[in-house]
Amino acid sequence: MVIITVGGLNARLAFAISAAAFGSAFQHGFNLGVINAPLNIIRHWMNVTNNERSGEYFTETEQTMVISIMVSIYCVGGMIGGALTGFFAERFGRKGGLLLNNIFALVAAVLFGFSKMANSYEMLIIGRFVIGINNGLNAGLCPMYLSEIAPVNLRGAIGTAYQLVLTISILIMGLDTILGTDDLWPILLALTGLPAIFQLAALPVCPESPKFLLITKDEPVTAQRALTWLRDTTNVQDEMGEMRNEAEASKLVPSVSLREILTNPTLRIPLVISMMMMIAQQLSGINAVIFFSTDIYKSAGLSSEAALNATIAMGTMNVLMTFASLVMVEKFGRKTLMLAGLSGMLVDVFLLFICLLLKDVVPWISYFSIFLVIFFVVMFATGPGSIPWFFVTELFAQNARPTASSIAVAINWTAAFLVGLGFLPLHELAGPYVFLIFVVLLIGFILFTWFKVPETKGRTIDEITAVFKQTAYGANSV
Ligand SMILES: *[C@@H]1O[C@H](CO)[C@@H](O)[C@H](O)[C@H]1NC(C)=O
């Protein structure tokens, strides 16, 4: 039986986590998945719209181009949003930044909702860009807020909440078939306004991050009030003391600049680690395997209904395993889960490669491939899916956290963008051999994690940054 350590979790903290995660992570997962179901209908509508406006239909090339722009501009928005994380977090606060970010979601919802009425696919494209900015900011600000309101012993579990809600929303979007119809798709896309409205209603009740109030704003009284609210007890002296230590340490450099973070070795080492974790998440092959899953189900002779069930099973396993990782991350640590997940994915993707080569020779092997696809997702959810989002917030003290998050989150979206752009051409070129690229990459990520990534479980930020000072300057000089 699994026992969840609930020390430190109370109703108020749970409410703050929900307000942040359902508002932000749901928004992110929703938009990752929402465009798939109505894509063909939108394609057709764009073609017809173009004819109504100019009297000409799209050629195949034009059509592909407009759709590609619509899909990829979302990632470009994400990169920009990710890069803006630091500015928003410092200027408006973690909670303030999250609240403000909902404006982007509402603007996008309006653009989506009226695009069909206005006969304008440009509105759809701009909407995708705007919601991309929103999702990028969410992916940076939400894990930061969660990590800063969490007690040390639950920081990983609470950080995992981001990915948990994200997988839940992807699963829900996979089930949707009702709204992906001719008339209703603008409404479907505009539903992105709902998580924003939810967050605008729920998050104002919760306090700003106590660390932001104390260390960045130097407001000890409001910080203590916020912490008292979150812990639901006035006995917060120890934690206040810990935060004061962090504040003392960061007084010398109130806010770390981009230049500083790239040149100072005690900051550059954790930055490289955070970036590698983000790259590992995106370049581990998860999107490739999910993309291939349709083919694999088909070649195993699954009917389209059975294939849909397999997809739902995959999404469900993703949610369940992410939930399990939420518990395990405080028990076994970040590094262990990351290594376990990446190693499982390595073995899995290699077997999958062999299965794809043999699928015409050995008929039953298709069924084994289905198992491998689902197992791959399970391994992804064990660690690589959730840990990178909050790991960056654990490696840096308050003064460097916003800048570091900006870079790491922007890198994540860039990697996602490149995979989206490069995978299909590579697949056309190399067929199943494209999986060998992931084998090589995964070996690299495993070695990097093994040798370079420190364990952060149960450690305070002070203790973690001390590790990097030692690595950078040698144990004796600190
Ligand atoms: C656009 O619609 C016209 C008329 O239905 C069709 O002939 C043409 O192939 C369509 N173009 C694309 C790219 O689908």
Side-chain angles (χ1 to χ4, degrees), residues 69-384:
I69 291 173
M70 184 187 72
V71 171
S72 54
I73 207 165
Y74 168 70
C75 279
V76 176
M79 289 177 219
I80 295 172
L84 287 173
T85 299
F87 173 75
F88 268 67
E90 289 294 270
R91 186 72 201 279
F92 309 110
R94 283 56 165 156
K95 171 188 154 185
L98 281 171
L99 285 174
L100 209 60
N101 188 25
N102 288 309
I103 293 174
F104 288 110
L106 295 176
V107 168
V110 170
L111 287 167
F112 291 146
F114 292 102
S115 56
K116 189 165 188 242
M117 226 180 275
N119 264 335
S120 162
Y121 46 81
E122 290 84 355
M123 278 169 73
L124 196 56
I125 291 173
I126 297 169
R128 287 289 287 175
F129 178 65
V130 173
I131 202 67
I133 296 177
N134 167 282
N135 287 185
L137 271 162
N138 274 330
L141 290 171
C142 183
M144 201 187 302
Y145 180 71
L146 292 176
S147 161
E148 288 183 6
I149 65 171
V152 170
N153 64 320
L154 289 178
R155 210 174 43 212
I158 291 176
T160 304
Y162 189 83
Q163 181 73 5
L164 180 63
V165 173
L166 194 138
T167 55
I168 290 172
S169 58
I170 291 178
L171 176 63
I172 293 174
M173 293 321 294
L175 298 177
D176 163 74
T177 44
I178 312 156
L179 290 170
T181 58
D182 262 343
D183 296 321
L184 292 180
W185 65 259
I187 299 175
L188 173 69
L189 265 60
L191 286 180
T192 199
L194 285 186
I197 293 169
F198 165 78
Q199 193 171 62
L200 285 170
L203 197 58
V205 180
C206 314
E208 177 58 89
S209 145
K211 288 194 169 183
F212 172 76
L213 292 171
L214 181 72
I215 306 172
T216 313
K217 301 292 272 187
D218 198 17
E219 294 173 6
V221 179
T222 35
Q224 180 151 357
R225 204 179 302 139
L227 195 60
T228 305
W229 190 95
L230 288 164
R231 300 291 174 263
D232 205 3
T233 165
T234 46
N235 184 15
V236 292
Q237 294 318 318
D238 287 356
E239 229 182 320
M240 281 299 289
E242 224 169 70
M243 287 201 296
R244 265 189 221 105
N245 287 344
E246 201 182 330
E248 281 308 313
S250 58
K251 276 235 165 78
L252 298 171
V253 209
S255 175
V256 171
S257 68
L258 186 62
R259 185 200 173 99
E260 173 95 18
I261 211 168
L262 294 174
T263 50
N264 182 339
T266 57
L267 297 172
R268 200 175 50 215
I269 298 167
L271 181 70
V272 170
I273 293 172
S274 318
M275 283 164 51
M276 281 298 276
M277 295 294 97
M278 290 294 197
I279 294 172
Q281 181 190 72
Q282 292 297 333
L283 265 59
S284 57
I286 184 71
N287 290 318
V289 169
I290 288 176
F291 172 83
F292 256 93
S293 62
T294 329
D295 271 0
I296 289 168
Y297 299 152
K298 228 183 268 165
S299 68
L302 296 192
S303 65
S304 57
E305 198 182 329
L308 184 67
N309 285 337
T311 305
I312 292 170
M314 189 166 79
T316 311
M317 289 307 291
N318 197 1
V319 172
L320 292 179
M321 201 57 210
T322 306
F323 184 73
S325 83
L326 183 145
V327 180
M328 292 191 297
V329 80
E330 301 298 1
K331 208 171 158 64
F332 303 115
R334 288 57 156 158
K335 183 174 183 168
T336 319
L337 285 194
M338 200 69 193
L339 281 173
L342 291 171
S343 308
M345 291 166 90
L346 172 64
V347 175
D348 189 291
V349 82
F350 187 69
L351 291 175
L352 198 56
F353 165 66
I354 294 175
C355 287
L356 285 176
L357 287 186
L358 295 181
K359 76 174 189 318
D360 299 325
V361 193
V362 192
W364 57 263
I365 218 161
S366 302
Y367 295 98
F368 187 54
S369 310
I370 299 177
F371 165 77
L372 286 177
V373 166
I374 294 178
F375 188 71
F376 191 85
V377 172
V378 168
M379 286 292 110
F380 178 74
T382 302

Side-chain angles (χ1 to χ4, degrees), residues 43-44 47-48 51 56-64:
R43 195 192 306 262
H44 178 72
N47 191 10
V48 172
N51 179 261
E56 299 209 7
Y57 285 111
F58 274 136
T59 64
E60 206 60 54
T61 326
E62 287 167 343
Q63 178 83 79
T64 308

Side-chain angles (χ1 to χ4, degrees), residues 444-466:
F445 297 140
I446 290 167
L447 290 176
F448 182 88
T449 310
W450 179 273
F451 287 113
K452 297 286 182 197
V453 175
E455 184 51 74
T456 54
K457 179 190 76 163
R459 288 180 169 176
T460 64
I461 302 290
D462 252 359
E463 292 163 346
I464 295 166
T465 47

